[in-house]
């Protein structure tokens, strides 16, 4: 690659535009590099916020660092407080782990079906439906867990009123859109010649899908799981509503548990005066930050291993001597051998006839389509629930009037406008930043320590609880940069929150463009930016669109990051980016908590509006995506 | 569309001053009602908790900070001021960062203890009985273990109530636990005791539903949640100490009912006359009081006429 660049350079020397070209090229790369590096600035801001908050915690006489890490009781208030983080940790692991255990197989199964077996028509209907799941405000999921799912566990298994199980079930649905969308994109992007070769060798479609397509798309699949995990780790609303607010050291999903994020949100939005219980929330946030960083570090090593395993052995780099790496190797080997043994014991090995292989394909197809059907049934159930509740509140007057304390006068006009401005601004910031960062990481950066670190930091941002973004935004944007509680502050916070989704999705889209495209373009004398601009980016558009849509869907439904910035009542709509604003999720959040039942109908009506906006966004994306895909000929 | 809407709003509001009000989620519905009815200022109202309200006021980001609790020394400490400058009645003896937080009591919140509709044995309780149910000092496990409720069914008590970060929780236990918050505090709450009977939630509607669904549950929350849903749960009549003069929780009976707490708005100093904040506070304390019962809170004059006149005299 480097050699080629040199050749093109010397050829360019006789070109009268050489200098200009070079300058432009360099400044673009610099721009891309800085947009990627913003993640580091943001992480520093988050760590600063967390450290500043937890400083008084660790210096408090009531706190002992050893007890904090190994203590088994978390009782933050009272005259005998105890700060052992293990109960919060167990709650977090139980809920996020459980959600992933259910959500990841269903998500990957659905993606497999969508990308390999579904017809174009089914695909174009189902994919936007699943992406709508991403935008349903988490408070809706929370009530769904508490009111619909929780009674099932209470009646059948004797679970307590608040229980982890209902949160796990609902959260496994919440992580689906991220896992399905990104896995599907990366499986869809596996070059056709790989599939064709496999089919030509006589493999069934099922064998091709599981043994050729899935391994080839493994980096995208793992990235999607990581983003899903991050979503589950950072989720607050579902847990506080359905799982309870008592930190219990237990792994029994029928019990009441509290997660780390739930504690942070509880304290940050409470009335409790500043003190050790409040600063404890920052220490908890710090621990969560470190945990997600550790998970991302390990996962990136797994990705490296899977990649080097799937490629030819010549390229295998000298072995990493680190313990973690070896541990993963051994663990993997044990797991595969166990799995093989397990398979061979339950199956009396018959001759692998074509009939058996096709039967296997049929069975597999049924299983993966079931995954998809499960997701869709759940969504339809959820949607009918919301629509029957909220349809009565919808009217022209509701859309055109201002909020009110009288439910029959209340409307969402400024709320709608506020959210639309917020989304436009967020897109304006997040799209160039995220896509730029992804282009830098994938096209220009060498595989250095710095870029690996950057990647991890970006993925790490996805796991930061949204309430922490809210606290950071309050410190940095509102106070340090003095933007005040304004549209600008709100959209910058949302930008940071959704940045990882845009970056990861774009990177996956870029990775899916065959290397031959780039080689070809470079070979005829294009610069690297020209190659990216004219040959890589146009072909990666569908994937990039997915990323942007997913991220906006996420942003439109989030309450916590803008909780300290957005308002729930105003008589005017913002006229500049420095004005305050109202936003849909905040209004929904406020109305669901309102004592008057009528407001809960209005909250449901507002949710319907959010869903409509999501549908419109998705349909736009589909049109763009399908146009791009129909042009694809590789 | 963009320019059309922004343009016309700007024209209408060129002379109307803008105020920012933020803080306690208990005060929030009330603040919204006032902001809506008061048409001489464009007040944007948001929640986020009492601590956030006081913090925003001290940082100069908000004109009015809502708080369901009194300001504490730690609120000053958080923004780098001397905590000793805050008095025990929630006022400040000196300014912090140029802001002198000034307390205004704007309404009262009645706290209702509620039980399931089928509960016919705990319809009236005194503080001593609440102490046996809600604290970890020799707590009653079954309903018939509560002193005076010997005829109640032998069923396990379940508590659904606000969590420890809420101002309601703090107020409730300040009432029933002697020396609450001091070094010689007599007992801990059952939540802190950790016997799994106290199920906290930050959402009062969730608490309401939990008590509705559990026959042997008890809990407490702001009266507004009962007022709007009187058929879903039952309120408990309360007597102070070990007494038997049980009082009904209601907005009109607030003078006799023992559990009512003041709701506050903090401003920077006493706003000067002709200042819009001054006029807004005047509105809140006079005409604004008429809508207080609609939102589910108690107007000041029902509790103590003197508080009202004292505050009006300052303006």
């Amino acid at each position: 690659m480097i050699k080629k660049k040199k050749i093109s350079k010397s050829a360019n020397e006789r070109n009268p535009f050489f200098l200009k070209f070079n300058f432009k090229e360099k400044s673009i790369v610099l721009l891309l590099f800085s947009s990627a590096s913003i993640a580091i600035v943001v992480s520093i801001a988050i760590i600063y916020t967390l450290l500043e908050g937890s400083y008084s915690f660790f210096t408090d006489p009531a706190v002992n660092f050893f007890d904090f890490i190994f203590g088994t009781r978390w009782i933050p208030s009272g005259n005998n407080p105890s700060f052992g983080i293990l109960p919060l940790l167990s709650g977090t692991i139980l809920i996020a782990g459980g959600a992933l255990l259910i959500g990841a197989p269903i998500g990957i199964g659905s993606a497999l079906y969508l990308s390999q077996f579904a017809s174009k028509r089914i695909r174009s209907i189902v994919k936007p439906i699943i992406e709508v799941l991403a935008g349903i405000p988490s408070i809706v999921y929370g009530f769904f867990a508490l009111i619909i799912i929780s009674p099932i566990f209470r009646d059948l298994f004797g679970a307590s009123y608040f229980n982890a199980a209902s949160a796990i079930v609902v959260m496994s649905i919440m992580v689906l859109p991220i896992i399905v969308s990104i896995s599907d994109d990366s499986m869809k992007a596996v070059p056709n010649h790989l599939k064709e070769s496999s089919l030509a060798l006589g493999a069934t479609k099922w064998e091709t899908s599981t043994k050729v397509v899935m391994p080839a798309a493994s980096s995208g699949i793992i990235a999607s799981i990581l983003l899903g995990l991050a979503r589950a780790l950072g989720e607050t609303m579902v847990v506080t509503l359905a799982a309870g607010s008592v930190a219990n050291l237990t792994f029994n999903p029928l019990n009441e548990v509290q997660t780390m994020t739930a504690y942070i949100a509880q304290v940050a939005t409470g009335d409790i005066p500043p003190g050790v219980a409040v600063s404890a929330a920052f220490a908890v946030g710090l621990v969560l930050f470190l945990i997600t960083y550790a998970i991302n570090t390990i996962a990136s090593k797994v990705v490296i291993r899977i990649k080097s395993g799937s490629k030819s052995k010549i390229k295998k780099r000298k072995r990493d001597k680190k313990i973690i790496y070896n541990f993963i190797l051994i663990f993997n080997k044990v797991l595969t051998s166990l799995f093989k043994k397990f398979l061979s014991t339950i199956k009396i090995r018959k001759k692998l006839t074509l009939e058996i292989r096709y039967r296997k394909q049929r069975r597999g197809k049924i299983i993966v389509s079931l995954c998809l059907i499960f997701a869709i049934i759940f969504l339809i159930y959820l949607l009918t629930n919301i629509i029957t509740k909220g349809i009565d509140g919808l009217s022209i007057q509701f859309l055109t009037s201002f909020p009110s304390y009288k439910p029959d006068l209340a409307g969402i006009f400024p709320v709608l406008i506020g959210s639309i401005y917020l989304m436009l601004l967020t897109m304006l910031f997040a799209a160039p930043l995220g896509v730029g960062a992804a282009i830098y990481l994938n096209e220009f950066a060498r595989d250095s320590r710095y870029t690996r670190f950057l990647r991890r930091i970006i993925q790490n941002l996805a796991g930061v609880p949204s309430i922490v973004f809210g606290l950071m935004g309050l410190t940095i944007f509102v106070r340090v940069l003095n933007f005040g509680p304004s549209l600008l502050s709100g959209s910058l916070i949302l930008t940071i929150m959704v940045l990882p989704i845009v970056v990861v999705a774009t990177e996956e889209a870029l990775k899916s463009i065959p290397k031959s495209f780039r080689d070809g373009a470079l070979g005829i004398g294009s610069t690297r930016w020209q190659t990216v601009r004219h040959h890589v980016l146009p072909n990666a558009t569908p994937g990039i669109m997915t990323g942007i849509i997913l991220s906006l869907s996420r942003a439109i439904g989030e309450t916590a990051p803008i909780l300290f910035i957005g308002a729930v009542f105003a008589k005017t709509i913002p006229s500049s980016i420095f004005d305050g604003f109202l936003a849909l999720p905040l209004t929904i959040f406020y109305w669901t908590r309102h004592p008057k039942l009528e407001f809960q109908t209005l909250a449901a009506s507002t949710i319907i509006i959010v869903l409509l906006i999501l549908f419109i966004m998705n349909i736009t994306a589909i049109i763009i995506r399908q146009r791009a895909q129909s042009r694809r000929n590789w | 569309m963009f320019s059309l809407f922004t343009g016309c709003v700007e024209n209408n509001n060129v002379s109307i001053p803008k105020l920012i009000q933020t803080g306690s989620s208990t005060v929030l519905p009330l603040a919204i009602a006032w902001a809506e009815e008061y048409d001489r200022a464009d007040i944007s109202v948001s929640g986020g908790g009492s601590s956030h309200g006081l913090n925003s006021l001290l940082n100069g980001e908000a004109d009015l900070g809502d708080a369901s609790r009194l300001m504490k020394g730690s609120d000053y400490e958080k923004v780098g001021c001397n905590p000793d400058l805050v008095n025990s009645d929630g006022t400040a003896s000196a300014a912090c960062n140029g802001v002198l937080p000034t307390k205004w009591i704007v309404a009262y919140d009645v706290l209702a203890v509620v039980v399931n509709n089928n509960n016919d044995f705990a319809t009236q309780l005194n503080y001593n009985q609440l102490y046996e149910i809600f604290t970890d000092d020799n707590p009653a496990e079954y309903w018939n273990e509560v002193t005076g409720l010997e005829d109640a069914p032998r069923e396990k008590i379940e508590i659904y109530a606000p969590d420890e970060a809420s101002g309601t929780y703090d107020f409730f236990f300040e009432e029933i636990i002697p020396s609450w918050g001091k070094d010689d505090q007599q007992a801990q709450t059952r939540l802190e005791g950790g016997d799994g009977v106290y199920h906290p939630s930050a959402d009062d509607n969730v608490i309401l539903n939990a008590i509705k669904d559990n026959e042997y549950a008890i809990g407490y929350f702001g009266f507004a949640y009962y007022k709007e849903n009187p058929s879903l749960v039952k309120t408990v009549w309360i007597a102070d100490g070990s007494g038997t003069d049980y009082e009904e929780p209601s907005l009109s009976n607030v003078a006799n009912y023992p559990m009512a707490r003041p709701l506050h708005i903090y401003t920077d100093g006493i706003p000067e006359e002709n200042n819009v904040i001054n006029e807004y506070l005047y509105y809140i304390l006079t005409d604004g009081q008429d809508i207080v019962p609609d939102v589910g809170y108690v107007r000041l004059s029902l509790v103590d006429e003197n508080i009202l006149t004292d505050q009006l005299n300052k303006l």
Side-chain angles (χ1 to χ4, degrees):
Chain A
M1 206 73 151
I2 296 162
K3 241 184 189 173
K4 259 178 209 155
K5 203 188 168 193
K6 271 185 185 157
I7 290 164
S8 71
K9 235 184 190 175
S10 60
N12 263 333
E13 257 157 36
R14 259 166 280 151
N15 183 336
F17 297 106
F18 173 60
L19 264 178
K20 195 180 155 200
F21 262 18
N22 210 3
F23 174 70
K24 186 181 162 195
E25 179 95 2
K26 272 194 178 146
S27 42
I28 284 173
V29 175
L30 190 72
L31 218 67
L32 295 175
F33 172 77
S34 12
S35 49
S37 303
I38 274 185
I40 292 186
V41 180
V42 171
S43 298
I44 291 171
I46 290 173
I47 292 175
Y48 165 76
T49 311
L50 294 175
L51 276 179
E52 193 211 14
S54 51
Y55 172 75
S56 56
F57 175 74
F58 288 116
T59 50
D60 193 282
V63 177
N64 173 326
F65 186 75
F66 187 81
D67 286 347
F68 176 65
I69 301 297
F70 297 104
T72 55
R73 277 158 53 87
W74 182 266
I75 299 165
S77 69
N79 51 8
N80 185 21
S82 166
F83 296 96
I85 200 168
L86 289 182
L88 290 181
L89 197 62
S90 76
T92 307
I93 293 171
L94 177 65
I95 290 189
L100 216 61
L101 222 56
I102 304 173
I106 293 179
I108 296 168
S110 307
L112 192 63
Y113 181 81
L114 273 180
S115 63
Q116 306 302 320
F117 299 103
S119 70
K120 235 181 184 168
R121 165 166 278 186
I122 293 181
R123 217 178 120 73
S124 64
I125 297 170
V126 168
K127 210 170 171 192
I129 289 184
I130 293 215
E131 274 160 20
V132 163
L133 276 171
I136 297 176
S138 48
I139 190 162
V140 178
Y141 284 106
F143 273 107
F144 191 78
L146 182 70
I147 311 244
I148 313 279
I149 308 290
S150 188
I152 301 173
F153 287 104
R154 267 180 253 154
D155 297 343
L156 292 183
F157 305 104
S160 63
Y161 190 83
F162 301 112
N163 56 66
S166 55
I168 291 173
V169 169
V170 167
M171 215 185 273
S172 67
I173 304 294
M174 288 176 82
V175 299
L176 275 187
I178 294 174
I179 296 181
V180 174
S181 295
I182 297 177
S183 303
D184 170 67
D185 276 346
S186 60
M187 285 197 247
K188 197 78 195 163
V190 170
N192 272 346
H193 65 83
L194 283 182
K195 278 199 274 182
E196 280 156 7
S197 322
S198 163
L199 292 171
L201 284 171
T204 64
K205 223 176 162 189
W206 174 252
E207 286 161 350
T208 306
S209 308
T210 51
K211 290 177 183 155
V212 175
V213 175
M214 272 177 73
S218 59
S219 89
I221 294 175
I222 289 183
S224 78
I225 294 178
L226 280 182
L227 275 181
L229 176 67
R231 174 93 166 101
L233 281 176
E235 175 50 41
T236 314
M237 223 59 227
V238 172
V239 199
T240 20
L241 280 171
S245 317
V246 178
N248 277 327
L249 184 56
T250 174
F251 282 106
N252 181 355
L254 300 178
N255 280 353
E256 194 171 3
V257 299
Q258 186 172 39
T259 64
M260 301 164 92
T261 51
Y263 180 72
I264 300 171
Q266 179 193 342
V267 172
T269 61
D271 303 314
I272 182 170
V276 65
V278 176
S279 50
F282 290 88
V284 169
L286 202 60
V287 172
L288 188 59
F289 193 87
L290 295 178
I291 290 174
T292 29
Y293 187 76
I295 292 174
N296 283 319
T297 312
I298 295 171
S300 73
K301 297 216 159 145
V302 177
V303 174
I304 290 170
R305 180 178 137 59
I306 290 174
K307 272 189 192 157
S308 58
S310 64
K311 276 180 193 162
S312 58
K313 277 178 188 167
I314 316 154
K315 251 194 125 184
K316 213 171 194 177
R317 287 148 94 238
K318 51 182 173 175
R319 278 205 176 166
D320 199 327
K321 277 176 192 165
K322 280 178 189 163
I323 310 159
I324 301 170
Y325 182 78
N326 281 330
F327 174 74
I328 291 165
L329 265 179
I330 294 161
F331 183 71
N332 241 339
K333 267 182 192 157
V334 172
L335 210 69
T336 38
S337 63
L338 270 178
F339 194 60
K340 271 180 191 155
K341 260 190 191 153
F342 176 68
L343 276 185
S344 57
T345 46
I346 55 164
K347 232 183 195 172
I348 306 142
R349 248 206 138 97
K350 277 186 201 161
K351 249 191 204 165
L352 203 58
T353 61
L354 206 57
E355 195 191 336
I356 292 173
R357 287 166 59 196
Y358 273 108
R359 200 184 296 152
K360 215 172 165 187
Q361 161 157 335
R362 271 199 302 279
R363 237 179 267 157
K365 234 174 119 173
I366 289 171
I367 290 172
V368 291
S369 58
L370 276 180
C371 291
L372 193 66
I373 290 168
F374 172 78
I376 291 174
I377 286 178
F378 191 92
L379 181 73
I380 290 174
Y381 190 62
L382 195 65
L383 283 183
T384 38
N385 225 303
I386 295 167
I387 291 171
T388 47
K389 238 180 162 180
I391 198 85
D392 292 340
L394 280 182
S395 65
I396 295 294
Q397 182 233 328
F398 180 68
L399 292 177
T400 52
S401 45
F402 279 68
S404 168
Y405 75 101
K406 295 172 188 148
D408 43 333
L409 294 182
I412 55 165
F413 174 65
V415 187
L416 198 59
I417 298 292
S419 262
I420 290 173
Y421 285 178
L422 205 57
M423 286 307 109
L424 288 176
L425 280 172
T426 305
M427 192 163 80
L428 206 67
F429 297 136
L433 266 183
V435 175
I439 292 174
Y440 177 77
L441 284 175
N442 205 58
E443 305 293 328
F444 293 95
R446 269 169 293 166
D447 186 25
S448 67
R449 202 164 260 234
Y450 181 70
T451 47
R452 279 198 297 267
F453 175 69
L454 256 184
R455 270 211 182 92
R456 241 174 283 153
I457 281 287
I458 290 172
Q459 289 222 316
N460 206 50
L461 280 182
V464 174
S466 42
I467 188 86
V468 171
F469 284 117
L471 293 169
M472 185 219 52
L474 191 66
T475 317
I476 306 295
F477 296 129
V478 177
R479 284 170 192 165
V480 177
L481 297 175
N482 209 9
F483 292 156
S486 61
L487 267 177
L488 183 62
S489 301
S491 53
L492 285 174
I493 293 179
L494 291 177
T495 299
I496 292 171
M497 192 191 75
V498 301
L499 203 60
I501 303 178
V502 183
V503 174
V504 171
T506 307
E507 255 208 280
E508 288 310 319
L510 293 174
K511 272 183 204 156
S512 70
I513 311 297
K515 195 163 163 286
S516 55
F517 277 42
R518 297 177 182 91
D519 292 348
L522 289 170
I524 56 166
S526 311
T527 65
R528 290 178 79 184
W529 170 244
Q530 286 167 336
T531 308
V532 171
R533 168 76 189 74
H534 299 290
H535 302 280
V536 179
L537 270 185
N539 288 306
T541 317
I544 297 175
M545 286 300 300
T546 306
I548 295 175
I549 289 294
L550 260 178
S551 66
L552 285 184
S553 309
R554 176 79 200 283
I556 203 170
E558 266 291 346
T559 318
I562 50 173
L563 188 68
F564 301 113
I565 294 178
V568 285
F569 180 84
K571 285 177 190 165
T572 51
I573 57 171
S575 52
S576 87
I577 55 170
F578 293 104
D579 277 355
F581 65 96
L582 285 77
L584 293 164
L586 286 179
T587 300
I588 295 170
F589 179 66
Y590 170 64
W591 279 346
T592 51
R593 289 200 167 196
H594 204 284
K596 279 191 169 63
L597 274 178
E598 294 98 316
F599 278 115
Q600 285 169 35
T601 310
L602 295 187
S605 311
T606 316
I607 294 163
I608 296 179
I609 300 295
V610 173
L611 293 178
L612 274 176
I613 297 176
L614 284 171
F615 265 120
I616 295 169
M617 280 186 350
N618 274 300
I619 284 167
T620 323
I622 294 163
I623 294 168
I624 297 174
R625 224 188 271 164
Q626 275 179 342
R627 271 201 192 153
Q629 240 149 24
S630 63
R631 259 186 279 136
R632 191 181 116 152
N633 49 9
W634 38 278
Chain B
M1 195 169 97
F2 196 101
S3 61
L4 190 115
F5 281 125
T6 49
C8 90
V9 167
E10 263 177 357
N11 290 345
N12 287 340
N13 291 294
V14 130
S15 59
I16 293 188
K18 288 193 168 191
L19 295 178
I20 295 175
Q21 182 169 6
T22 187
S24 159
S25 49
T26 313
V27 184
L28 189 57
L30 206 47
I32 287 179
W34 283 325
E36 186 180 345
E37 293 289 327
Y38 186 70
D39 47 17
R40 287 160 70 191
D42 177 16
I43 304 158
S44 90
V45 191
S46 58
S50 300
S51 302
H52 174 65
L54 290 164
N55 196 248
S56 297
L57 181 79
L58 289 170
N59 273 303
E61 286 146 17
D63 304 292
L64 303 122
D66 303 335
S68 61
R69 63 167 171 87
L70 292 173
M71 187 171 67
K72 298 271 163 67
S74 55
D75 290 308
Y76 256 46
E77 209 174 357
K78 177 97 190 284
V79 288
C81 298
N82 181 3
D84 299 333
L85 296 176
V86 178
N87 308 324
S88 61
D89 64 347
T91 57
S93 49
C96 165
N97 300 334
V99 177
L100 179 68
T102 308
K103 181 183 81 169
W104 304 90
I105 297 176
V106 291
Y108 273 79
D109 180 19
V110 169
L111 203 143
V113 177
V114 291
V115 291
N116 186 277
N117 268 342
N118 295 329
N119 183 324
D120 51 8
F121 45 89
T123 52
Q124 47 188 36
L125 295 168
N126 61 29
Y127 275 26
N128 285 4
Q129 288 168 314
L130 290 176
Y131 183 87
E132 285 175 40
I133 296 170
F134 283 96
T135 74
D136 74 339
D137 181 8
N138 199 9
E141 194 179 338
Y142 297 96
W143 273 107
N144 63 355
E145 288 173 13
V146 180
T147 315
L149 296 186
E150 282 77 16
D151 298 334
R154 190 172 173 76
E155 294 285 349
K156 276 198 169 141
I157 296 173
E158 291 284 331
I159 299 171
Y160 293 92
D163 61 48
E164 69 268 34
S166 130
T168 319
Y169 171 94
D170 193 57
F171 174 73
F172 180 78
F173 286 106
E174 190 177 356
E175 286 291 312
I176 67 166
I177 296 181
S179 306
W180 170 253
K182 303 198 177 84
D183 291 337
D184 57 339
Q185 182 177 321
Q186 200 170 327
Q188 294 204 85
T189 73
R190 210 155 178 175
L191 177 60
E192 289 156 7
D195 63 0
V197 171
Y198 194 119
H199 308 286
S201 174
D203 189 324
D204 291 330
N205 278 321
V206 169
I207 297 171
L208 182 89
N209 274 308
I211 294 172
K212 189 192 79 183
D213 292 342
N214 286 280
E215 197 167 349
Y216 299 102
I218 186 170
Y220 58 90
F221 44 58
F223 185 77
Y225 286 87
Y226 172 75
K227 185 183 165 258
E228 298 298 337
N229 312 284
S231 60
L232 299 182
V233 289
K234 212 150 107 179
T235 54
V236 178
W237 291 38
I238 301 293
D240 207 342
S242 57
T244 51
D245 300 329
Y246 301 104
E247 293 292 343
E248 181 189 12
S250 75
L251 298 187
S252 51
N253 193 30
V254 68
N256 303 317
Y257 184 73
M259 287 187 183
R261 60 170 177 161
L263 300 176
H264 314 96
I265 291 179
Y266 278 85
T267 59
D268 177 13
I270 295 172
E272 295 157 35
E273 244 172 280
N274 299 327
N275 180 316
V276 62
I277 301 177
N278 184 308
E279 287 171 18
Y280 182 49
L281 280 174
Y282 185 81
Y283 161 78
I284 287 175
L285 295 173
T286 52
D287 294 347
Q289 290 289 310
D290 293 342
I291 51 175
V292 172
D294 296 341
V295 189
Y297 298 103
V298 179
R299 49 194 306 161
L300 281 178
S301 57
L302 280 179
V303 180
D304 190 351
E305 196 76 52
N306 293 334
I307 299 176
L308 191 60
T309 44
D310 283 354
Q311 294 190 116
L312 280 172
N313 285 338
K314 283 191 214 163
L315 285 170

